[in-house]
Amino acid sequence: MFLPYEPHFRVRRLNRMNVFAGILMVAASVFMFMLRNEWVVFLLIAALLQLYTSVAMRKKE
């Protein structure tokens, strides 16, 4: 869970968004095994966050 220190605010923000997306994926799996339908929303939001952060990280490099 500990991220390496990055002096740039943008990279730190994108790393936090990636961690949040991971937490949403865990929540989606919990809801899936509870046989609830909300897991689709959690998974969709996590996928969109992952897509955004991957594109934004590529722009930084």
Side-chain angles (χ1 to χ4, degrees):
M1 181 91 179
F2 294 107
L3 301 172
Y5 177 72
E6 179 65 41
H8 301 291
F9 177 74
R10 182 177 181 189
V11 175
R12 286 193 318 232
R13 178 179 55 91
L14 291 172
N15 282 336
R16 280 192 302 259
M17 288 175 71
N18 260 339
V19 169
F20 184 65
I23 292 170
L24 284 176
M25 287 185 186
V26 170
S29 66
V30 168
F31 276 96
M32 186 186 300
F33 285 110
M34 290 173 49
L35 300 177
R36 308 264 319 243
N37 290 333
E38 290 88 358
W39 68 270
V40 178
V41 176
F42 285 111
L43 192 61
L44 178 66
I45 294 171
L48 291 175
L49 281 174
Q50 287 279 324
L51 181 66
Y52 172 75
T53 56
S54 67
V55 170
M57 283 286 222
R58 203 172 304 138
K59 282 184 182 178
K60 193 233 180 260
E61 293 174 354

XYZ file of all heavy atoms in Angstrom:
510
model
N 0.819 -1.190 0.000
C 0.000 0.000 0.000
C 0.861 1.250 0.000
O 0.415 2.297 -0.363
C -0.919 -0.047 1.210
C -1.831 1.101 1.333
S -3.354 0.711 0.485
C -4.263 2.171 0.803
N 2.105 1.116 0.437
C 2.965 2.281 0.462
C 3.504 2.554 -0.927
O 4.043 1.674 -1.585
C 4.125 2.081 1.439
C 3.670 1.998 2.869
C 3.680 0.793 3.534
C 3.194 3.115 3.520
C 3.252 0.697 4.831
C 2.763 3.044 4.820
C 2.792 1.834 5.490
N 3.327 3.773 -1.365
C 3.789 4.165 -2.685
C 5.132 4.855 -2.556
O 5.398 5.534 -1.562
C 2.774 5.115 -3.332
C 1.373 4.557 -3.509
C 0.435 5.644 -3.981
C 1.387 3.416 -4.486
N 5.991 4.725 -3.548
C 7.266 5.437 -3.486
C 7.029 6.942 -3.534
O 6.090 7.417 -4.167
C 8.019 4.955 -4.727
C 6.982 4.417 -5.629
C 5.851 3.949 -4.759
N 7.885 7.682 -2.847
C 7.718 9.131 -2.799
C 7.976 9.717 -4.174
O 8.974 9.436 -4.816
C 8.663 9.762 -1.784
C 8.547 11.268 -1.777
C 7.426 11.874 -1.234
C 9.523 12.066 -2.341
C 7.287 13.239 -1.240
C 9.401 13.437 -2.354
C 8.282 14.026 -1.802
O 8.147 15.382 -1.818
N 7.061 10.526 -4.617
C 7.179 11.182 -5.916
C 6.989 12.678 -5.684
O 5.979 13.106 -5.138
C 6.111 10.649 -6.869
C 6.124 11.264 -8.229
C 7.368 10.957 -9.022
O 7.834 9.808 -8.979
O 7.888 11.864 -9.681
N 7.964 13.495 -6.078
C 7.852 14.934 -5.803
C 6.793 15.641 -6.647
O 6.329 16.707 -6.271
C 9.250 15.471 -6.119
C 9.831 14.481 -7.061
C 9.221 13.154 -6.703
N 6.377 15.058 -7.752
C 5.408 15.721 -8.618
C 3.993 15.436 -8.138
O 3.609 14.291 -7.926
C 5.566 15.254 -10.060
C 6.931 15.513 -10.621
N 7.387 16.783 -10.885
C 7.936 14.683 -10.937
C 8.610 16.725 -11.361
N 8.974 15.447 -11.393
N 3.223 16.516 -7.996
C 1.860 16.385 -7.496
C 0.993 15.553 -8.429
O 0.161 14.764 -7.984
C 1.242 17.771 -7.293
C -0.185 17.721 -6.858
C -0.503 17.362 -5.560
C -1.209 17.996 -7.733
C -1.823 17.292 -5.148
C -2.524 17.930 -7.339
C -2.829 17.584 -6.043
N 1.190 15.707 -9.723
C 0.367 14.999 -10.696
C 0.544 13.487 -10.583
O -0.428 12.725 -10.625
C 0.732 15.464 -12.096
C -0.083 14.838 -13.173
C 0.283 15.401 -14.514
N -0.540 14.809 -15.538
C -0.340 14.969 -16.816
N 0.656 15.720 -17.235
N -1.113 14.401 -17.690
N 1.775 13.044 -10.437
C 2.037 11.609 -10.324
C 1.470 11.075 -9.015
O 0.894 9.981 -8.982
C 3.548 11.329 -10.448
C 3.850 9.861 -10.218
C 4.055 11.776 -11.810
N 1.599 11.836 -7.933
C 1.025 11.397 -6.655
C -0.486 11.272 -6.753
O -1.079 10.318 -6.242
C 1.398 12.372 -5.546
C 2.828 12.274 -5.108
C 3.074 13.010 -3.819
N 2.392 14.289 -3.762
C 2.963 15.443 -3.465
N 4.236 15.490 -3.196
N 2.265 16.554 -3.414
N -1.129 12.229 -7.425
C -2.580 12.186 -7.586
C -2.993 10.970 -8.415
O -3.947 10.267 -8.073
C -3.064 13.464 -8.271
C -4.548 13.499 -8.529
C -4.970 14.798 -9.185
N -4.236 15.083 -10.398
C -4.610 14.718 -11.618
N -5.705 14.019 -11.780
N -3.888 15.039 -12.671
N -2.256 10.677 -9.474
C -2.587 9.524 -10.300
C -2.365 8.213 -9.552
O -3.144 7.263 -9.710
C -1.763 9.554 -11.584
C -2.124 10.682 -12.563
C -1.116 10.736 -13.691
C -3.527 10.519 -13.079
N -1.342 8.159 -8.722
C -1.119 6.956 -7.906
C -2.247 6.757 -6.903
O -2.694 5.629 -6.676
C 0.225 7.033 -7.188
C 1.383 6.719 -8.095
O 1.219 6.032 -9.100
N 2.552 7.208 -7.750
N -2.719 7.844 -6.293
C -3.846 7.733 -5.359
C -5.108 7.267 -6.081
O -5.886 6.477 -5.540
C -4.107 9.069 -4.668
C -3.171 9.349 -3.522
C -3.657 10.516 -2.698
N -3.798 11.729 -3.482
C -2.931 12.728 -3.503
N -1.848 12.651 -2.780
N -3.154 13.796 -4.242
N -5.307 7.745 -7.309
C -6.464 7.301 -8.076
C -6.359 5.820 -8.402
O -7.371 5.105 -8.399
C -6.591 8.124 -9.358
C -7.052 9.540 -9.106
S -7.066 10.544 -10.575
C -8.437 9.844 -11.458
N -5.148 5.326 -8.669
C -4.953 3.898 -8.931
C -5.256 3.068 -7.691
O -5.850 1.988 -7.787
C -3.530 3.632 -9.399
C -3.443 3.471 -10.887
O -4.429 3.173 -11.539
N -2.265 3.657 -11.418
N -4.844 3.544 -6.528
C -5.138 2.831 -5.281
C -6.646 2.801 -5.045
O -7.211 1.772 -4.662
C -4.388 3.482 -4.093
C -4.883 2.949 -2.769
C -2.898 3.263 -4.234
N -7.302 3.929 -5.294
C -8.757 3.997 -5.124
C -9.461 3.041 -6.090
O -10.432 2.369 -5.721
C -9.243 5.435 -5.332
C -10.707 5.620 -5.073
C -11.230 5.440 -3.807
C -11.556 5.965 -6.101
C -12.582 5.594 -3.565
C -12.906 6.129 -5.879
C -13.427 5.948 -4.606
N -8.961 2.942 -7.310
C -9.542 2.004 -8.281
C -9.367 0.561 -7.805
O -10.266 -0.267 -7.980
C -8.900 2.200 -9.651
N -8.237 0.266 -7.204
C -8.027 -1.074 -6.657
C -8.994 -1.390 -5.530
O -9.520 -2.509 -5.438
N -9.242 -0.406 -4.682
C -10.202 -0.595 -3.591
C -11.601 -0.816 -4.155
O -12.371 -1.650 -3.654
C -10.154 0.608 -2.626
C -8.820 0.626 -1.891
C -11.308 0.579 -1.641
C -8.550 1.876 -1.107
N -11.937 -0.082 -5.212
C -13.246 -0.284 -5.846
C -13.365 -1.671 -6.450
O -14.451 -2.272 -6.430
C -13.479 0.778 -6.920
C -13.839 2.169 -6.428
C -13.938 3.129 -7.598
C -15.129 2.155 -5.649
N -12.272 -2.214 -6.976
C -12.320 -3.572 -7.518
C -12.532 -4.606 -6.421
O -13.251 -5.593 -6.616
C -11.048 -3.869 -8.304
C -10.996 -3.161 -9.619
S -9.559 -3.656 -10.539
C -9.659 -2.540 -11.913
N -11.936 -4.383 -5.274
C -12.172 -5.284 -4.142
C -13.627 -5.198 -3.707
O -14.272 -6.219 -3.431
C -11.211 -4.947 -2.977
C -11.594 -5.685 -1.720
C -9.782 -5.250 -3.371
N -14.165 -3.974 -3.652
C -15.579 -3.807 -3.289
C -16.484 -4.490 -4.310
O -17.497 -5.105 -3.938
C -15.915 -2.321 -3.180
N -16.118 -4.410 -5.584
C -16.916 -5.067 -6.614
C -16.917 -6.574 -6.421
O -17.957 -7.232 -6.584
C -16.370 -4.717 -8.002
N -15.772 -7.147 -6.060
C -15.735 -8.596 -5.849
C -16.550 -9.005 -4.622
O -17.190 -10.060 -4.628
C -14.294 -9.077 -5.725
O -13.688 -8.561 -4.566
N -16.545 -8.167 -3.589
C -17.359 -8.470 -2.403
C -18.837 -8.469 -2.770
O -19.589 -9.375 -2.392
C -17.055 -7.463 -1.274
C -18.079 -7.554 -0.162
C -15.661 -7.676 -0.729
N -19.262 -7.447 -3.504
C -20.668 -7.386 -3.897
C -21.039 -8.522 -4.845
O -22.167 -9.004 -4.837
C -20.985 -6.033 -4.544
C -21.295 -4.959 -3.547
C -20.316 -4.078 -3.127
C -22.568 -4.827 -3.030
C -20.593 -3.099 -2.208
C -22.866 -3.848 -2.106
C -21.870 -2.966 -1.689
N -20.088 -8.958 -5.667
C -20.369 -10.057 -6.585
C -20.634 -11.346 -5.813
O -21.564 -12.095 -6.129
C -19.184 -10.261 -7.538
C -19.438 -11.283 -8.613
S -17.990 -11.626 -9.608
C -17.621 -10.048 -10.291
N -19.824 -11.601 -4.787
C -20.006 -12.832 -4.019
C -21.187 -12.758 -3.064
O -21.645 -13.787 -2.584
C -18.718 -13.191 -3.278
C -17.679 -13.763 -4.198
C -16.539 -13.040 -4.505
C -17.851 -15.006 -4.771
C -15.590 -13.558 -5.354
C -16.909 -15.534 -5.630
C -15.779 -14.803 -5.922
N -21.677 -11.543 -2.807
C -22.891 -11.394 -2.008
C -24.139 -11.497 -2.886
O -25.258 -11.332 -2.405
C -22.892 -10.045 -1.276
C -21.873 -9.953 -0.163
S -21.745 -8.321 0.564
C -23.411 -7.868 0.887
N -23.921 -11.766 -4.194
C -24.994 -11.890 -5.181
C -25.834 -10.614 -5.279
O -27.060 -10.648 -5.398
C -25.885 -13.098 -4.878
C -25.169 -14.446 -4.878
C -26.121 -15.548 -4.485
C -24.533 -14.708 -6.226
N -25.146 -9.482 -5.256
C -25.806 -8.195 -5.443
C -25.435 -7.671 -6.820
O -24.449 -8.077 -7.408
C -25.324 -7.201 -4.372
C -25.408 -7.690 -2.946
C -26.639 -7.281 -2.196
N -27.060 -5.940 -2.417
C -27.119 -5.013 -1.483
N -26.723 -5.288 -0.267
N -27.573 -3.828 -1.761
N -26.208 -6.767 -7.351
C -25.957 -6.252 -8.692
C -25.135 -4.967 -8.707
O -24.790 -4.477 -9.782
C -27.279 -6.014 -9.426
C -27.957 -7.310 -9.779
O -27.295 -8.324 -9.945
N -29.271 -7.287 -9.879
N -24.823 -4.405 -7.560
C -24.072 -3.156 -7.512
C -22.613 -3.332 -7.925
O -21.917 -2.356 -8.186
C -24.118 -2.552 -6.102
C -25.470 -2.018 -5.706
C -26.366 -3.060 -5.080
O -25.954 -4.242 -4.976
O -27.494 -2.701 -4.706
N -22.146 -4.566 -8.017
C -20.742 -4.800 -8.361
C -20.425 -4.271 -9.748
O -19.294 -3.871 -10.016
C -20.397 -6.281 -8.258
C -21.053 -7.161 -9.269
C -22.255 -7.799 -9.137
C -20.562 -7.505 -10.563
N -22.528 -8.519 -10.259
C -21.511 -8.362 -11.162
C -19.415 -7.189 -11.277
C -21.345 -8.880 -12.432
C -19.246 -7.723 -12.536
C -20.194 -8.545 -13.109
N -21.421 -4.223 -10.619
C -21.201 -3.730 -11.981
C -20.805 -2.256 -11.951
O -19.897 -1.828 -12.672
C -22.466 -3.946 -12.838
C -22.276 -3.391 -14.227
C -22.829 -5.408 -12.878
N -21.450 -1.483 -11.110
C -21.148 -0.046 -11.005
C -19.744 0.159 -10.459
O -18.978 0.982 -10.994
C -22.198 0.653 -10.110
C -21.848 2.116 -9.914
C -23.580 0.498 -10.694
N -19.390 -0.577 -9.417
C -18.047 -0.448 -8.846
C -16.980 -0.820 -9.863
O -15.958 -0.140 -9.987
C -17.903 -1.333 -7.603
C -18.606 -0.800 -6.393
C -19.719 -1.443 -5.893
C -18.154 0.335 -5.752
C -20.372 -0.968 -4.778
C -18.796 0.826 -4.632
C -19.908 0.179 -4.147
N -17.212 -1.882 -10.589
C -16.238 -2.331 -11.581
C -16.120 -1.343 -12.740
O -15.018 -1.089 -13.241
C -16.615 -3.713 -12.097
C -15.559 -4.429 -12.915
C -14.304 -4.664 -12.083
C -16.094 -5.740 -13.436
N -17.225 -0.755 -13.159
C -17.204 0.230 -14.232
C -16.424 1.476 -13.828
O -15.587 1.977 -14.587
C -18.627 0.601 -14.637
C -18.755 1.663 -15.719
C -18.201 1.144 -17.033
C -20.192 2.098 -15.878
N -16.666 1.969 -12.626
C -15.948 3.153 -12.149
C -14.460 2.856 -12.023
O -13.607 3.668 -12.414
C -16.541 3.645 -10.815
C -17.964 4.152 -11.029
C -15.676 4.731 -10.202
C -18.702 4.443 -9.755
N -14.118 1.685 -11.498
C -12.707 1.314 -11.355
C -12.030 1.196 -12.715
O -10.892 1.647 -12.893
C -12.593 -0.003 -10.589
N -12.723 0.628 -13.688
C -12.141 0.498 -15.028
C -11.921 1.856 -15.668
O -10.894 2.088 -16.312
C -13.048 -0.359 -15.898
N -12.859 2.773 -15.492
C -12.693 4.114 -16.048
C -11.533 4.854 -15.385
O -10.772 5.566 -16.057
C -13.993 4.914 -15.909
C -15.147 4.442 -16.794
C -16.408 5.230 -16.482
C -14.781 4.571 -18.262
N -11.391 4.693 -14.068
C -10.256 5.312 -13.380
C -8.931 4.723 -13.853
O -7.960 5.462 -14.061
C -10.392 5.135 -11.868
C -11.353 6.072 -11.160
C -11.476 5.679 -9.693
C -10.899 7.504 -11.275
N -8.885 3.423 -14.038
C -7.668 2.781 -14.534
C -7.329 3.267 -15.935
O -6.167 3.524 -16.249
C -7.848 1.265 -14.549
C -7.836 0.634 -13.195
C -6.438 0.426 -12.694
O -5.544 0.117 -13.469
N -6.248 0.597 -11.408
N -8.329 3.395 -16.770
C -8.103 3.879 -18.130
C -7.576 5.307 -18.127
O -6.614 5.630 -18.822
C -9.407 3.788 -18.931
C -9.332 4.232 -20.385
C -8.444 3.277 -21.168
C -10.715 4.288 -20.985
N -8.191 6.164 -17.313
C -7.753 7.561 -17.237
C -6.323 7.669 -16.733
O -5.506 8.399 -17.297
C -8.693 8.368 -16.345
C -8.180 9.759 -16.077
C -8.239 10.730 -17.060
C -7.602 10.091 -14.849
C -7.746 12.005 -16.826
C -7.112 11.352 -14.616
C -7.187 12.308 -15.606
O -6.700 13.555 -15.376
N -5.999 6.947 -15.657
C -4.656 7.060 -15.096
C -3.601 6.494 -16.035
O -2.494 7.015 -16.109
C -4.557 6.361 -13.733
O -4.961 5.008 -13.854
C -5.404 7.064 -12.697
N -3.939 5.457 -16.785
C -2.947 4.909 -17.713
C -2.654 5.883 -18.850
O -1.518 6.045 -19.269
C -3.411 3.564 -18.271
O -4.540 3.725 -19.084
N -3.685 6.565 -19.338
C -3.479 7.554 -20.395
C -2.729 8.765 -19.862
O -1.812 9.278 -20.500
C -4.832 7.963 -21.019
C -4.687 9.149 -21.935
C -5.435 6.789 -21.765
N -3.090 9.212 -18.667
C -2.434 10.392 -18.091
C -0.980 10.101 -17.723
O -0.121 10.975 -17.870
C -3.199 10.859 -16.861
N -0.678 8.896 -17.270
C 0.717 8.539 -16.962
C 1.550 8.477 -18.227
O 2.704 8.855 -18.226
C 0.775 7.189 -16.247
C 0.392 7.260 -14.819
S 1.660 8.021 -13.835
C 1.628 6.962 -12.438
N 0.965 7.991 -19.306
C 1.683 7.910 -20.563
C 2.013 9.312 -21.084
O 3.068 9.532 -21.662
C 0.846 7.148 -21.580
C 1.688 6.562 -22.675
C 0.915 5.640 -23.581
N 0.269 4.558 -22.845
C -0.952 4.136 -23.092
N -1.674 4.682 -24.024
N -1.458 3.152 -22.396
N 1.123 10.279 -20.851
C 1.373 11.654 -21.276
C 2.536 12.270 -20.496
O 3.280 13.073 -21.010
C 0.142 12.514 -21.081
C -0.904 12.336 -22.128
C -2.030 13.296 -21.902
C -3.133 13.117 -22.921
N -4.256 14.032 -22.664
N 2.677 11.866 -19.220
C 3.731 12.436 -18.379
C 5.114 11.995 -18.836
O 6.068 12.732 -18.771
C 3.503 12.032 -16.932
C 4.354 12.820 -15.968
C 5.121 11.892 -15.066
C 5.974 12.675 -14.108
N 7.340 12.740 -14.536
N 5.209 10.757 -19.340
C 6.499 10.223 -19.753
C 6.890 10.767 -21.068
O 7.316 11.538 -21.579
C 6.429 8.715 -19.882
C 6.214 8.036 -18.575
C 5.997 6.543 -18.762
O 5.912 6.084 -19.916
O 5.908 5.851 -17.759
